[in-house]
Amino acid sequence: MASPTSLLKRLLVGRPFRSDRLQHTLLPKRIALPVFASDALSSVAYAPDEILLTLSIAGASAFLFSPWIALAVVVVMLTVVASYRQNVHAYPSGGGDYEVATVNLGPRAGLGVASALLVDYVLTVAVSVSSGVANLGSVVPFVATHKVLIAVSAVVVLTAMNLRGLRESGTAFAIPTYGFVIVIGGMILTGLVRYFVLGDDLRAPSAGLEIQAEHSVTGFALVFLLLRTFSSGCAALTGVEAISNGVPAFKAPKSRNAATTLLLLGTISVAMLVGIIWLARLTGLQFVEDPNTQILSGPDGYVQKTVTTQLGETVFGGGSVLLYVVAGMTALILFLAANTAFNGFPVLGSILAQDRYLPRQLHTRGDRLAFSNGIVFLAVFAIVLIVGFQAEVTRLIQLYIVGVFVSFTLSQAGMIRHWNRHLRHERDPEARRRIFRSRAINAFGMAMTGTVLVIVLITKFLLGAWIAIAAMAVIYVLMLAIRRHYDRIAAELEPTEVRGVLPARNHAIVLVSKLHQPTLRAIAYARATRPDTLTAVTVNVDEKDTRQLQQEWERRELPVPLTVVDSPYREITRPILNFVANTRRESPRDVVTVFIPEYVVGHWWENLLHNQSALRLKGRLLFEPGVMVTSVPWQLASTATKNLDRLDETLSRTPARGPRVAPRSTLPPPVPPVTAPPGEPGPSTGDRQ
């Protein structure tokens, strides 16, 4: 019977998938859009807020610049979408920006892109979930007073859904994503029809407020403020790169479907962003950075609501069902926007692990063919950020978009070199024209994203962007260190051309604490290996117990000599190590095999009562050169009820398939015989005990 833990896991995650089910998890365009584009689509829910609150620093008159800021953001977004349509056709393997930069600019540039994307994915989860909590808190006071708890709970739920697998999470997220697009699109259309066709006087709840400027902004300060507003609005571009990382998850033809999804993403995002900013200006909506100090006059008990919530109240009326639908759908899509990172981070982590820049555990798939370790890592880091910044969107947003624009810029630079390389070999005039056109798109994209990156660094560095840059640097150095470690280990383990020299002699030592069945089994197994010498060793820590052991040994007439090692300080590990070292010191070509009897227990708490000395000895003996350690198991009665299927899942990365069949033998498969080099003596056959 399965344990409660296994039942809970199956309830939350589902039954394991066979590896050959991987093809069934591929996504059509209608599912891929909510899976990979929910981040970019949802960013229109908080990008207008960031544009308006940044402009509010200069007072209400600065809101007149919001349409022009939105237009500049739209130009950058369309440029990035067009550029990434080139990427998915040129590099469909799923490496995305990391692969483009690595192939064309070198491994160090690729690693810089990877570190930027890893930081950006973590921030995507933290910002999206925190923004969803803020929107939901606009209509539900309980959420507003428990922001951190709700945000952490949302991350946990998203983690569980993604652990169930890509296809299932995509299907679950499709309805809310399309619902958000329909609701926001319907709100914009209804508001424009009421304003221009029906002639209704639509006034936002904040339209009549008297707003005080935080600073007098003129000249260069105004330009700097507009640039900072533009950089905040560019948060709407986050998530575009996720599609280039997720091309392998699309159904065939993969590149064409990914490019089509990118086009749909860009079109929908642009339409919603422009519509929200336009409707905000028509209704006189105001949104400030610090309501407590900037709002001079307003209704008693006025609480500032998000832009989409204010527009929903203006268009559909306060307290209406549709207002709650707008707020609910906005909060839901912001929660689900983190799903883009939950799909991008694990895939990128798997590729980096395959390239030996991250731990190899991130490369393997879990029970449901998802990269489970990467999903869990992302969730933990995002929760740390949410708790550390108390789920405040305005504080988190300052760390945002630095990483994504680093990857945008380096990726476009890599694509330019990609097209230049193709031009050197392409002779067909029509093909060369297509390459020139593609290179021009990527060049324009690099210029735009590079400009935005410089603006972001200038305007947001002291506001918190330096934290993201420092995190990128730490991850970059850490990945280099991991790669050096793996390279060093690989060099050590590389087989040499010189044939291995067989050991001259094999000295077997059986460790004995008392004479019982585990000891007798260890002696029998050691004799079966036919070593050159065989001795049993016990450590004298108690004279009475040692004499009893010697008497019992002689009474049973065991054919193996018992050696007693004295220990005046009642220590076990050091005397054994010295005895093993002395045994091997006589000949460097000799090996020593130490047989350790061990109990196999059925309950975790039994491990606390047994095998402690054996564990310490093994831990020390493994560092001794020329020493082999062999555990001889003895199964206690409690193992009869052990759930072996659950044990398989715990000890192996591959889930158990079907009922477990006990093997006929616990011995390892036979090793092919090794022939000694000419002139070298073979294993000794004499003097065996």
Side-chain angles (χ1 to χ4, degrees):
M1 182 179 294
S3 67
T5 305
S6 297
L7 290 175
L8 180 61
K9 178 181 179 182
R10 293 294 160 241
L11 179 64
L12 296 177
V13 179
R15 295 180 62 83
F17 281 163
R18 292 172 56 89
S19 296
D20 54 15
R21 284 283 308 273
L22 185 59
Q23 291 297 320
H24 298 283
T25 65
L26 298 181
L27 306 176
K29 293 189 292 292
R30 67 179 183 278
I31 302 298
L33 182 65
V35 168
F36 291 108
S38 56
D39 179 23
L41 291 175
S42 68
S43 61
V44 301
Y46 55 79
D49 295 38
E50 295 304 315
I51 290 175
L52 294 179
L53 71 83
T54 307
L55 288 174
S56 71
I57 295 175
S61 60
F63 291 137
L64 296 174
F65 293 104
S66 60
W68 301 105
I69 298 294
L71 182 61
V73 172
V74 165
V75 171
V76 178
M77 177 178 290
L78 293 177
T79 302
V80 170
V81 168
S83 300
Y84 272 89
R85 281 171 58 86
Q86 313 293 327
N87 289 33
V88 298
H89 285 294
Y91 295 92
S93 62
D97 294 341
Y98 166 68
E99 182 180 5
V100 173
T102 300
V103 172
N104 298 286
L105 302 177
R108 294 301 177 93
L111 208 57
V113 168
S115 61
L117 285 175
L118 292 175
V119 172
D120 184 71
Y121 282 136
V122 175
L123 285 167
T124 294
V125 176
V127 171
S128 298
V129 171
S130 299
S131 182
V133 170
N135 276 271
L136 191 59
S138 297
V139 293
V140 183
F142 175 81
V143 175
T145 56
H146 299 82
K147 292 189 298 183
V148 176
L149 175 63
I150 301 298
V152 171
S153 302
V155 173
V156 172
V157 172
L158 287 170
T159 303
M161 295 183 69
N162 278 277
L163 288 174
R164 294 187 66 89
L166 190 65
R167 183 69 177 261
E168 287 198 19
S169 64
T171 303
F173 295 163
I175 296 176
T177 302
Y178 287 122
F180 170 74
V181 173
I182 293 172
V183 167
I184 296 300
M187 180 187 71
I188 294 171
L189 289 176
T190 302
L192 294 178
V193 168
R194 287 188 60 187
Y195 189 89
F196 288 107
V197 178
L198 302 180
D200 293 344
D201 182 22
L202 299 179
R203 302 294 292 170
S206 58
L209 300 178
E210 183 181 353
I211 303 298
Q212 179 184 15
E214 289 187 4
H215 306 283
S216 177
V217 179
T218 57
F220 178 78
L222 178 61
V223 174
F224 185 84
L225 178 65
L226 294 178
L227 291 176
R228 178 183 162 188
T229 305
F230 170 67
S231 65
S232 297
C234 284
L237 277 74
T238 56
V240 173
E241 79 290 344
I243 292 180
S244 66
N245 293 330
V247 176
F250 283 80
K251 282 189 172 181
K254 296 178 181 293
S255 295
R256 189 172 70 184
N257 287 338
T260 302
T261 305
L262 264 170
L263 183 61
L264 290 172
L265 160 67
T267 303
I268 296 172
S269 297
V270 165
M272 289 197 298
L273 178 64
V274 171
I276 289 175
I277 292 295
W278 189 14
L279 195 58
R281 290 307 310 135
L282 293 176
T283 59
L285 187 148
Q286 300 182 107
F287 193 80
V288 300
E289 184 177 36
D290 187 359
N292 295 326
T293 59
Q294 289 185 262
I295 298 178
L296 299 180
S297 63
D300 293 337
Y302 175 78
V303 177
Q304 179 171 265
K305 300 179 180 179
T306 60
V307 171
T308 53
T309 304
Q310 288 193 53
L311 289 179
E313 185 175 344
T314 304
V315 174
F316 299 122
S320 66
V321 174
L322 289 177
L323 168 62
Y324 286 94
V325 172
V326 169
M329 279 296 180
T330 303
L332 187 57
I333 189 61
L334 284 166
F335 289 139
L336 301 185
N339 190 58
T340 299
F342 273 106
N343 287 294
F345 183 98
V347 173
L348 178 59
S350 174
I351 295 172
L352 289 168
Q354 188 176 12
D355 291 344
R356 297 182 293 181
Y357 286 115
L358 287 180
R360 290 173 180 170
Q361 292 87 336
L362 295 178
H363 179 55
T364 55
R365 295 180 182 269
D367 286 3
R368 303 283 289 184
L369 298 178
F371 296 107
S372 305
N373 290 332
I375 292 171
V376 173
F377 268 61
L378 174 62
V380 170
F381 294 144
I383 288 174
V384 170
L385 275 181
I386 289 172
V387 174
F389 286 85
Q390 293 296 295
E392 291 289 344
V393 181
T394 303
R395 295 173 62 192
L396 285 168
I397 204 75
Q398 309 303 331
L399 285 67
Y400 208 20
I401 78 174
V402 176
V404 73
F405 274 95
V406 168
S407 63
F408 282 168
T409 305
L410 290 177
S411 174
Q412 300 314 306
M415 286 301 297
I416 294 173
R417 296 195 66 176
H418 168 82
W419 298 125
N420 289 339
R421 187 171 62 252
H422 279 265
L423 280 174
R424 287 196 292 268
H425 305 289
E426 185 61 60
R427 294 293 177 264
D428 181 59
E430 181 62 27
R432 289 181 65 85
R433 280 194 293 272
R434 287 197 301 269
I435 292 175
F436 276 120
R437 183 174 64 250
S438 298
R439 186 178 66 174
I441 293 174
N442 288 124
F444 185 68
M446 185 187 71
M448 293 293 293
T449 57
T451 301
V452 174
L453 177 61
V454 173
I455 293 173
V456 169
L457 292 176
I458 293 174
T459 59
K460 291 194 171 187
F461 184 82
L462 296 178
L463 296 176
W466 67 269
I467 300 177
I469 297 172
M472 288 162 49
V474 170
I475 293 175
Y476 181 91
V477 173
L478 181 62
M479 288 194 291
L480 282 179
I482 293 173
R483 176 58 185 264
R484 282 195 296 268
H485 170 79
Y486 280 136
D487 288 346
R488 185 177 68 253
I489 297 301
E492 289 183 20
L493 301 180
E494 184 69 22
T496 61
E497 296 183 2
V498 180
R499 298 180 63 182
V501 179
L502 291 176
R505 292 161 64 85
N506 177 22
H507 305 282
I509 298 174
V510 179
L511 302 185
V512 178
S513 60
K514 61 180 60 177
L515 194 54
H516 47 27
Q517 293 193 66
T519 298
L520 295 176
R521 171 176 287 186
I523 292 173
Y525 179 66
R527 294 182 65 195
T529 62
R530 299 177 66 82
D532 294 284
T533 64
L534 173 60
T535 184
V537 175
T538 187
V539 179
N540 181 18
V541 294
D542 186 282
E543 291 287 347
K544 180 180 178 181
D545 290 342
T546 302
R547 282 197 302 270
Q548 290 178 351
L549 175 61
Q550 290 174 313
Q551 293 170 1
E552 182 70 11
W553 199 275
E554 293 175 357
R555 187 182 68 81
R556 289 180 176 270
E557 298 181 350
L558 295 176
V560 176
L562 176 64
T563 301
V564 178
V565 179
D566 192 33
S567 178
Y569 296 101
R570 298 160 304 283
E571 186 184 5
I572 295 178
T573 304
R574 176 55 57 185
I576 293 293
L577 292 176
N578 292 336
F579 182 85
V580 170
N582 291 332
T583 302
R584 186 175 178 273
R585 188 175 295 124
E586 298 176 0
S587 175
R589 284 186 54 193
D590 289 358
V591 297
V592 176
T593 303
V594 181
F595 294 88
I596 304 178
E598 286 194 64
Y599 301 130
V600 180
V601 299
H603 305 100
W604 66 267
W605 53 267
E606 291 180 285
N607 284 307
L608 303 176
L609 307 176
H610 303 284
N611 297 327
Q612 302 305 311
S613 298
L615 287 174
R616 288 195 297 270
L617 277 169
K618 282 196 295 185
R620 293 295 304 273
L621 288 170
L622 290 175
F623 287 93
E624 297 292 330
V627 176
M628 314 302 167
V629 183
T630 301
S631 294
V632 183
W634 179 267
Q635 291 80 13
L636 296 177
S638 60
T639 61
T641 59
K642 185 70 175 177
N643 187 328
L644 298 183
D645 288 332
R646 183 174 54 150
L647 184 63
D648 282 342
E649 294 183 8
T650 302
L651 299 180
S652 173
R653 300 304 304 165
T654 304
R657 309 295 186 198
R660 174 186 170 98
V661 179
R664 294 184 179 179
S665 173
T666 59
L667 297 181
V671 179
V674 180
T675 305
E680 293 288 347
S684 173
T685 58
D687 193 30
R688 291 196 178 98
Q689 300 183 29

